[in-house]
Amino acid sequence: MNDTLVKLNDIRRTFRVGEISVHVLRGISLTIERGAYVALTGSSGSGKTTLMNLLGCLDRPTSGEYWLDGVEVSRMSSDARAMIRNRKIGFVFQNFNLLPRTTALEQVMMPLAYTNTGLSERDAKARAIDLLKMVGLGERMDHRPSQLSGGQQQRVAIARALINQPPVLFADEPTGNLDSRTTAEILEMFDRLNRAEGITIILVTHDPTVAGHARRNIRLRDGMIESDTVREGPPPPLQSHSAPAAHAESQVA
Amino acid sequence: MTIRKTLGTAVRALRRNITRSALTVLGIVIGIAAVIAMMEIGKGSSGSISRTIASMGANNLLIFPGTASTGGVSFGGGSSLTLTAEDCDAILRECSAIAAAAPLVRARPQIVYQDKNWVPTFVYGSTPAYLTVRDWSQLADGDIFTDADVRNASRVCVVGQTLVRELFGGQNPVGKEIRVKNVAFTVVGVLTPKGANAFGMDQDDILLAPWTTIKYRVSGSSTASSTTASTATTSSNSADSTFPGAKAVFPAQSSTQSADAPMPVRFANVDQVIMSATAGDQIRPAIREVTALLRERHRLQPGEPDDFSIRDMTESANALASTTNMMTNLLLAVALISLVVGGVGIMNIMLVSVTERTREIGLRMAVGARSRDILRQFLTEATLLCLIGGLLGLALGRGAALMVQKFLRWPIESSVEAIIASIVVSAAVGIVFGFYPAWKASRLDPIEALRYE
Ligand SMILES: Nc1ncnc2c1ncn2[C@@H]1O[C@H](COP(=O)(O)OP(=O)(O)OP(=O)(O)O)[C@@H](O)[C@H]1O
Ligand SMILES: [Mg+2]
């Protein structure tokens, strides 16, 4: 359980804007074990999203090495990286990114269209239904995004991210658009996925209470790691960390 | 990505925006409908033209006396006097590519039966072979006159269906006596109906008699024409005295006759000779053979122009058919242009769709779609859209053609090739005009696309 899932070695990312080079990531090295629960924090513009895009194989570093699940992926072709994204990575976005006018079930099954396994239509559907039940939307499978609340939409997005049973879930400010109550719901789900399913979770947040759920907290500053702290002891009970606590307690308990 | 998955994704995407899909496809629907309707109507017209040509006598050739003249000149009887019935016999005897030949003498007399009178479009003097040439040998009633009738210039005739209707009120005319320009004729047969020819003339409005009878008893009995130059070579008004008994009608020019007439004259000139070639591809050889034979018989020196002209019947009919074809092609071109316009419409809407769905494209890429998957998806959407449009257009075009047939009574003919072609064309339009938007979509950067507002 303690083997390495993510290993970054002196990752740099430079954007060229006209004549100037913008050094956004300036030498990031870190290792994340399988089953970890990591929060990435830092002030706005510190490079969190840029780092998440690299981790999620959506972008390539200007220099440096990135091993994901034992494979160096930063030099792979875009097709090979698409395959990695499909099979090894789950993505959750701040703005959910659901397809308009599409049912929850179809949303969840969508990534399977790009998966080359012999999964039958029926098995795929069964798996999507299971996932929707797991995120508590067993009754909402035929609902379209316009018929779902923000928290429900994000849960559909989480189910979609998990459809190919990836070892790791990347979430860039997954609760940024949600109120505290729904934030607590989503966090509870992440906690459960991490503890019960052993899924590695790496999320970006500005919210200290959200970061408090993670066992490890990496703080970025100007494209470099400012601090990397691991919280000792058992994870805190969910309720006490949802802010405002009283409100969240009454909803989640 | 399997084909089924791609199709499923495309269908879902199109269904998500059904109104826009319907509007997008409208151009293709109209384009394909126009193509199909044009093809069916055009094919129907040319089909009916070729049937008309066949009814006029396939493989038929006409010889006119007189130097070949450019089209449009009327070949009135006696405009030139170089063609004889003997030429006709010689052609049949010596030209291997000719199956049948008949001389033709034309007149336009009034016909009287009891208290009714009628001027048929065609009053032809010929031989029984005429019906063979015209592929018209089967008679509705009675019999054709015989070669003996021709030799004897008998006053017998066969009549077409229009005459039966107009003159005899639909009664069987066989055995009845009619007066053709005051000459009494006995009707011996009734022709089968043949319909209108390519020029819209009623081919059943015909009276057919031995050419000798028409020439010497009908045309010749007119004192007015006997004094014109045109009758100068027809030496006698009385066929009986000229051709007694069953002797050949035209004895070879005797030495006396040659001596009497300083200019060599050919007896018994006819207005036309109508012939049929043994087969459609024998028309050209037949023309060559007949030309050579007639030049020899008419003693034309090399370099001298022909004193006759040969036309094949299909020539003018072909001209008609090619006019129809040209119209069809013209309309088809317009229809194809509308297809192209429809294709541009597809491209336009697909580009809008790609822009509008930038976030979706980014998301699909983020969850594992390769650029070729995105390309394929949008290409499939465009092609599917066009195919559906093509099928709708097919139905609409067929419907329009059927309406034209029902209400305008135009002939139509459905064509499998047109149906296949329209399906292929609509798919091709989808691929061609869907490619650029799809390519644009596939080239999007997932990060930028996800960030797109
Ligand atoms: N494509 C790009 N081209 C040029 N500069 C970029 C690009 N993407 C990001 N940057 C720059 O990199 C820096 C870091 O951006 P990033 O989005 O990673 O910050 P962040 O930590 O996610 O901020 P926030 O908390 O506001 O989301 C910013 O200064 C931004 O302007
Ligand atoms: Mg960010």
Side-chain angles (χ1 to χ4, degrees):
Chain A
M1 190 72 175
N2 256 0
D3 54 337
T4 301
L5 182 69
V6 169
K7 183 170 161 51
L8 299 183
N9 190 9
D10 196 25
I11 288 286
R12 288 166 191 274
R13 183 68 170 98
T14 305
F15 293 104
R16 287 201 65 90
V17 181
E19 290 296 298
I20 347 159
S21 303
V22 186
H23 300 279
V24 176
L25 297 181
R26 302 187 296 163
I28 298 216
S29 301
L30 58 80
T31 305
I32 294 171
E33 323 282 70
R34 211 177 282 276
Y37 192 165
V38 180
L40 208 57
T41 57
S43 58
S44 190
S46 55
K48 302 182 296 293
T49 297
T50 307
L51 182 57
M52 285 298 268
N53 286 341
L54 287 173
L55 286 170
C57 284
L58 286 167
D59 196 9
R60 299 159 104 158
T62 312
S63 72
E65 292 163 342
Y66 171 20
W67 275 276
L68 176 67
D69 209 7
V71 188
E72 217 293 312
V73 294
S74 63
R75 302 280 168 261
M76 278 184 166
S77 71
S78 65
D79 281 2
R81 283 184 297 126
M83 168 96 134
I84 296 279
R85 291 198 294 271
N86 186 242
R87 307 301 301 275
K88 298 244 172 105
I89 292 170
F91 245 112
V92 178
F93 305 90
Q94 178 173 357
N95 52 14
F96 322 136
N97 274 326
L98 297 182
L99 299 179
R101 288 175 289 257
T102 305
T103 66
L105 190 61
E106 283 173 357
Q107 309 264 11
V108 174
M109 289 172 69
M110 190 269 274
L112 290 174
Y114 308 104
T115 309
N116 255 335
T117 49
L119 197 67
S120 75
E121 183 79 12
R122 193 193 296 149
D123 290 348
K125 205 165 174 174
R127 195 194 277 184
I129 290 172
D130 285 350
L131 278 170
L132 279 169
K133 281 181 181 155
M134 193 195 78
V135 299
L137 291 174
E139 312 289 305
R140 299 267 194 281
M141 284 192 289
D142 293 326
H143 286 227
R144 284 142 220 276
S146 58
Q147 299 162 328
L148 293 169
S149 74
Q152 288 168 335
Q153 289 187 48
Q154 191 62 298
R155 283 191 270 167
V156 172
I158 291 169
R160 179 181 65 197
L162 296 175
I163 188 75
N164 266 323
Q165 301 162 328
V168 59
L169 202 62
F170 293 109
D172 192 353
E173 303 194 39
T175 58
N177 283 7
L178 301 174
D179 62 18
S180 49
R181 191 194 109 205
T182 32
T183 297
E185 284 175 26
I186 298 299
L187 284 176
E188 184 220 14
M189 190 149 301
F190 280 164
D191 290 356
R192 206 174 62 217
L193 285 171
N194 180 249
R195 264 181 237 158
E197 316 279 333
I199 294 172
T200 309
I201 293 176
I202 300 170
L203 57 78
V204 169
T205 185
H206 284 286
D207 186 340
T209 58
V210 175
H213 277 258
R215 284 193 298 278
R216 182 176 170 190
N217 203 320
I218 298 172
R219 197 171 170 76
L220 286 190
R221 186 185 168 140
D222 292 338
M224 295 202 278
I225 296 178
E226 187 189 47
S227 67
D228 188 345
T229 54
V230 178
R231 180 166 42 71
E232 300 298 333
L238 274 172
Q239 293 88 334
S240 64
H241 285 270
S242 305
H247 178 72
E249 260 172 40
S250 62
Q251 297 300 321
V252 178
Chain B
M1 208 177 173
T2 65
I3 289 177
R4 252 189 73 213
K5 281 178 184 169
T6 313
L7 271 179
T9 308
V11 168
R12 274 194 294 277
L14 293 178
R15 268 215 314 246
R16 249 196 281 153
N17 218 327
I18 192 86
T19 317
R20 190 168 64 189
S21 301
L23 286 174
T24 307
V25 95
L26 206 55
I28 299 295
V29 172
I30 293 170
I32 291 289
V35 169
I36 289 290
M38 283 313 116
M39 293 282 254
E40 299 212 339
I41 293 167
K43 218 176 158 214
S45 314
S46 47
S48 85
I49 284 174
S50 55
R51 274 190 299 279
T52 309
I53 291 168
S55 83
M56 286 168 72
N59 312 337
N60 279 11
L61 294 162
L62 282 171
I63 310 174
F64 295 95
T67 306
S69 43
T70 45
V73 171
S74 97
F75 297 89
S79 65
S80 193
L81 307 164
T82 54
L83 208 55
T84 66
E86 288 169 301
D87 287 337
C88 178
D89 293 338
I91 286 166
L92 194 56
R93 214 167 39 237
E94 296 185 21
C95 296
S96 58
I98 296 295
L104 214 60
V105 175
R106 303 194 300 192
R108 201 165 165 75
Q110 196 183 50
I111 315 271
V112 179
Y113 172 69
Q114 291 171 351
D115 57 343
K116 297 204 187 99
N117 66 75
W118 186 251
V119 181
T121 315
F122 307 103
V123 174
Y124 280 166
S126 189
T127 62
Y130 176 79
L131 293 183
T132 315
V133 173
R134 294 290 312 272
D135 194 18
W136 208 356
S137 303
Q138 189 65 46
L139 264 67
D141 213 331
D143 279 307
I144 181 65
F145 50 82
T146 62
D147 287 320
D149 290 328
V150 176
R151 280 192 299 274
N152 298 334
S154 311
R155 290 178 298 228
V156 289
C157 66
V158 294
V159 294
Q161 293 288 338
T162 304
L163 261 73
V164 175
R165 197 174 61 243
E166 298 293 341
L167 218 47
F168 299 96
Q171 285 171 327
N172 186 353
V174 174
K176 301 272 169 37
E177 190 159 285
I178 55 174
R179 299 189 75 78
V180 180
K181 222 170 166 188
N182 268 331
V183 182
F185 276 71
T186 306
V187 178
V188 295
V190 180
L191 296 166
T192 49
K194 196 132 175 117
N197 69 8
F199 312 99
M201 288 157 105
D202 180 8
Q203 298 179 94
D204 295 321
D205 193 9
I206 186 170
L207 181 141
L208 192 64
W211 70 269
T212 44
T213 322
I214 296 292
K215 186 157 189 74
Y216 300 118
R217 295 192 195 278
V218 177
S219 300
S221 65
S222 151
T223 41
S225 63
S226 69
T227 57
T228 62
S230 69
T231 50
T233 52
T234 58
S235 49
S236 172
N237 283 348
S238 162
D240 284 0
S241 58
T242 316
F243 310 112
K247 207 172 159 275
V249 180
F250 316 106
Q253 209 170 19
S254 71
S255 52
T256 332
Q257 279 171 316
S258 311
D260 286 349
M263 293 269 289
V265 285
R266 295 190 179 89
F267 278 137
N269 61 290
V270 295
D271 295 332
Q272 294 169 17
V273 170
I274 184 168
M275 323 173 280
S276 61
T278 48
D281 56 3
Q282 290 301 305
I283 288 181
R284 299 284 135 209
I287 290 175
R288 268 198 306 279
E289 281 181 9
V290 171
T291 305
L293 180 72
L294 288 185
R295 285 188 68 88
E296 189 195 317
R297 285 179 58 82
H298 296 183
R299 299 204 179 84
L300 297 176
Q301 299 303 315
E304 236 180 304
D306 293 344
D307 60 354
F308 56 90
S309 62
I310 304 176
R311 323 195 129 201
D312 59 320
M313 292 280 275
T314 51
E315 191 178 283
S316 40
N318 282 348
L320 206 66
S322 76
T323 309
T324 316
N325 274 346
M326 203 186 71
M327 284 309 289
T328 308
N329 289 341
L330 213 62
L331 291 170
L332 204 60
V334 172
L336 285 175
I337 287 170
S338 80
L339 252 187
V340 171
V341 172
V344 172
I346 293 262
M347 177 149 81
N348 198 357
I349 301 290
M350 288 307 287
L351 278 175
V352 171
S353 172
V354 166
T355 308
E356 201 185 80
R357 287 157 66 190
T358 300
R359 284 263 291 278
E360 176 190 332
I361 295 163
L363 172 73
R364 287 182 182 276
M365 287 176 158
V367 302
R370 296 162 298 179
S371 25
R372 86 178 81 133
D373 292 325
I374 300 295
L375 181 85
R376 196 180 324 173
Q377 183 191 336
F378 278 87
L379 214 47
T380 308
E381 274 180 37
T383 309
L384 197 65
L385 210 53
C386 286
L387 267 179
I388 293 169
L391 289 175
L392 290 176
L394 199 64
L396 194 68
R398 287 238 57 189
L402 287 172
M403 296 281 265
V404 163
Q405 184 184 40
K406 191 162 188 314
F407 294 112
L408 299 182
R409 308 202 168 283
W410 286 9
I412 66 164
E413 212 170 291
S414 70
S415 119
V416 180
E417 302 93 60
I419 288 170
I420 292 169
S422 67
I423 304 265
V424 170
V425 163
S426 52
V429 164
I431 291 168
V432 168
F433 291 97
F435 189 84
Y436 175 64
W439 178 81
K440 257 192 101 172
S442 74
R443 296 302 303 267
L444 285 174
D445 174 55
I447 298 170
E448 306 258 302
L450 278 169
R451 206 181 283 151
Y452 184 85
E453 287 306 317

